[in-house]
């Protein structure tokens, strides 16, 4: 009974419509794929899940424009900042049926145990037959 009481507000006041629930699952999978690709430095997977015109603003203030610059920068960043990367989705907001804003906690745990706690926002678009990442914004609130 208590579990139902806690779940009821989430079900009743959720921003996601019944039609969007299936898409939310696919978007979660996309963000998981991105996290995996970053951690394993899988450029093939990144090319599949990023749009050609992707742009990224990283916490240092550097802009990466286009898929080549984004992937190159991601690989350099992963090498310079080793560790496990976790993206925890906090909020998904459908702007249209083909454009979604995904806000995440972005946690990087380094090899010696240090932890960077940041925020990431992803603009995700439906491109042909699947969801892809079109823009990434990282912020370090410290």
């Amino acid at each position: 009974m208590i579990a139902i009481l806690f779940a009821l507000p989430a079900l009743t006041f959720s921003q996601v419509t019944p039609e969007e629930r299936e898409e939310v699952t696919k978007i979660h999978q996309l963000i998981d794929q991105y996290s995996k690709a970053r951690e394993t430095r899988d450029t093939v997977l990144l090319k599949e899940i990023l749009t050609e015109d992707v742009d990224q603003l990283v916490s240092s203030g550097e802009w990466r424009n286009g898929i080549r610059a984004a992937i190159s920068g991601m690989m350099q960043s992963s090498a310079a900042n080793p560790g496990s990367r976790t993206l925890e989705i906090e909020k998904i907001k459908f702007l249209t049926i083909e454009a979604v804003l995904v806000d995440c906690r972005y946690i990087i745990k380094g090899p010696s145990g240090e932890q960077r706690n940041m925020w990431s926002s992803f603009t995700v678009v439906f491109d042909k037959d699947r969801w892809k990442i079109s823009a990434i914004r990282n912020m370090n609130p410290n």
Side-chain angles (χ1 to χ4, degrees), residues 1-17:
M1 183 69 164
I2 292 175
I4 292 171
L5 290 174
F6 282 111
L8 188 59
L11 295 172
T12 305
F13 300 107
S14 174
Q15 240 185 337
V16 179
T17 66

Side-chain angles (χ1 to χ4, degrees), residues 99-110:
V100 178
L101 185 61
V102 182
D103 293 320
C104 303
R105 290 186 184 275
Y106 183 24
I107 302 162
I108 302 174
K109 291 183 183 174

Side-chain angles (χ1 to χ4, degrees), residues 14-137:
S14 174
Q15 240 185 337
V16 179
T17 66
E19 298 81 33
E20 296 167 339
R21 289 191 199 283
E22 184 178 333
E23 300 309 312
V24 165
T25 299
K26 292 176 185 176
I27 292 165
H28 273 269
Q29 292 169 346
L30 174 66
I31 299 303
D32 288 343
Q33 288 177 314
Y34 172 78
S35 184
K36 176 185 173 193
R38 287 295 307 272
E39 193 163 329
T40 61
R41 300 182 189 152
D42 185 343
T43 58
V44 173
L45 180 54
L46 285 170
K47 288 176 185 172
E48 290 176 16
I49 63 174
L50 300 174
T51 61
E52 284 294 319
D53 65 345
V54 67
D55 61 66
Q56 182 181 25
L57 176 62
V58 299
S59 58
S60 67
E62 173 192 356
W63 279 100
R64 299 173 183 161
N65 293 299
I67 196 166
R68 284 187 182 164
I71 290 175
S72 175
M74 289 174 192
M75 294 301 102
Q76 291 172 2
S77 175
S78 292
N81 301 294
S84 65
R85 286 168 164 69
T86 304
L87 286 159
E88 299 172 359
I89 295 176
E90 291 281 321
K91 182 177 173 184
I92 295 176
K93 182 175 184 174
F94 280 79
L95 304 174
T96 70
I97 60 170
E98 294 182 341
V100 178
L101 185 61
V102 182
D103 293 320
C104 303
R105 290 186 184 275
Y106 183 24
I107 302 162
I108 302 174
K109 291 183 183 174
S112 61
E114 74 280 3
Q115 186 168 301
R116 288 180 67 196
N117 296 302
M118 301 187 300
W119 288 99
S120 285
S121 287
F122 295 84
T123 303
V124 177
V125 297
F126 199 78
D127 184 37
K128 297 180 181 111
D129 61 346
R130 66 179 297 180
W131 290 101
K132 290 187 174 186
I133 298 168
S134 176
I136 305 168
R137 304 292 182 263

